[in-house]
Amino acid sequence: MYYNEKTMLYYDGKFQEASTASTGLYGQSLHYGYAVFEGIKSYKTKNGTKIFKAKEHYDRLKQSAELMMIPFDYSTEEMIDLTYKLLEMNNLGNAYIRPLVICSPNMSLSKGNKSSLVIEAWSWDNGYLSDHARIMTSSFERPNPKAFKIEAKASGHYVNSILASQEAKDKGFDEAMLLDGNGNVAESSGANIFYEKDSKLYTPAKGSILPGITRATMFEICDQLGIYYEEKFFKPEEMEGADAGFFCGTAAEVVALESLNNVPFKLKWENSVSALIQKAYRHLVFEEDYSYLKQELYV
Ligand code: PMP
């Protein structure tokens, strides 16, 4: 599903065939989840294939490695170049790109000695979640920010995401919404969250979330379109039955939520300000102008 016998990936300083590339079984990354990664998308735009927010993603990968004390010396520019080469080699346009930094063999609980960069890519067809997602408050909290470097995109953190997402699916929901240690809304297993009330948008403040690049893009779009937004701490009860809600993330893009804990959002999605933001994001990733949406906001 992710590769075939022709697929190339980048690993250990060179491009190699995905089907024969291998790694050892004695590393901290495999044993302890001590690795950092990114999730990036490229889009086939009218100006050619473009990696959306490439700099922001690779800067975050470097920052994640630094926070985890993993030695890592690729520059952002180098990684962007390698990624465009990889996309071309695999003839990919609309692709999901997964860079991963893994550590060399070491079983001790000390910082990494040496790391390797892996870059994989495969075509995406929006397989994350479709609109009208029904979500529930998870019984799992987000990792305690005093126990983890929560702003790093570290592999081990995602064990928490797997538990929460699977719990929601087992209970018949599409996804989970996790709270922080104070009972405030934090985020989903792999996306940030917003809700809409009276044409204004609210999203959890930083602290127990991965402050997403898409979340920052939402702010950019709101600024462009003149939509009010606010970062704040709030309880799930405040979000239940609000006008609209959505998840946002690189893989998810903007996913409309239908209900939270079986309480439906009030507005028809098409009539929400959030739907305009979803449209704007789609235009932005394809390098299209979306300023016309400003008019739609006031009709
Ligand atoms: N939160 C978590 C836990 C995530 O895994 C992701 C996906 N990287 C996000 C938020 C959204 O981040 P971004 O918009 O940078 O993809």
Side-chain angles (χ1 to χ4, degrees), residues 37-39 57 60 142 153 158 161 187-192 209-215 248-251:
F37 70 102
E38 266 305 317
H57 281 285
R60 185 169 68 186
R142 285 294 297 161
K153 199 165 163 61
Y158 284 80
S161 299
E187 61 185 332
S188 179
S189 58
N192 290 116
I209 62 167
L210 181 79
I213 290 164
T214 319
R215 177 180 177 272
C248 69
T250 301

Side-chain angles (χ1 to χ4, degrees), residues 119-292:
I119 310 176
E120 300 165 343
W122 56 87
S123 80
W124 56 259
D125 48 12
N126 252 343
Y128 179 78
L129 260 187
S130 49
D131 275 345
H132 311 299
R134 298 172 54 253
I135 65 165
M136 60 166 265
T137 301
S138 180
S139 71
F140 295 96
E141 285 176 0
R142 285 294 297 161
N144 177 350
K146 287 183 180 160
F148 290 95
K149 301 273 188 183
I150 202 71
E151 299 209 348
K153 199 165 163 61
S155 297
H157 298 173
Y158 284 80
V159 176
N160 169 258
S161 299
I162 291 172
L163 292 172
S165 185
Q166 190 59 52
E167 178 194 47
K169 284 165 192 147
D170 288 346
K171 292 195 165 159
F173 291 87
D174 298 307
E175 251 304 340
M177 181 178 87
L178 291 86
L179 308 184
D180 66 16
N182 299 317
N184 293 312
V185 173
E187 61 185 332
S188 179
S189 58
N192 290 116
I193 197 158
F194 282 73
Y195 79 87
E196 173 182 333
K197 189 148 202 289
D198 300 330
S199 304
K200 294 177 177 149
L201 293 179
Y202 301 92
T203 194
K206 288 184 193 178
S208 291
I209 62 167
L210 181 79
I213 290 164
T214 319
R215 177 180 177 272
T217 308
M218 298 295 104
F219 299 160
E220 209 181 285
I221 291 172
C222 285
D223 286 338
Q224 286 294 321
L225 296 179
I227 296 166
Y228 177 91
Y229 65 88
E230 192 178 323
E231 298 168 76
K232 64 170 188 175
F233 295 106
F234 58 88
K235 304 278 186 255
E237 294 74 24
E238 183 174 327
M239 184 169 164
E240 279 175 0
D243 293 342
F246 61 87
F247 282 162
C248 69
T250 301
E253 301 188 348
V254 177
V255 173
L257 302 179
E258 170 142 334
S259 60
L260 166 60
N261 298 325
N262 289 322
V263 182
F265 289 98
K266 278 204 190 80
L267 288 178
K268 256 187 139 165
W269 177 251
E270 304 81 85
N271 299 334
S272 67
V273 165
S274 302
L276 284 187
I277 291 177
Q278 183 184 45
K279 265 192 211 161
Y281 187 75
R282 270 264 133 173
H283 285 307
L284 186 62
V285 292
F286 284 105
E287 304 196 337
E288 296 161 0
D289 180 52
Y290 64 83
S291 54
Y292 77 94

Side-chain angles (χ1 to χ4, degrees), residues 11 14 32 35 39 42 58 66 74 109 133 144 152 213 251 283 296:
Y11 175 44
K14 55 182 185 290
Y32 310 131
S42 63
Y58 280 117
E66 202 176 313
Y74 279 85
L109 298 177
N144 177 350
I213 290 164
H283 285 307
E296 290 192 22

Side-chain angles (χ1 to χ4, degrees), residues 68 98 111 165:
M68 303 302 290
R98 169 52 60 83
K111 67 182 184 184
S165 185

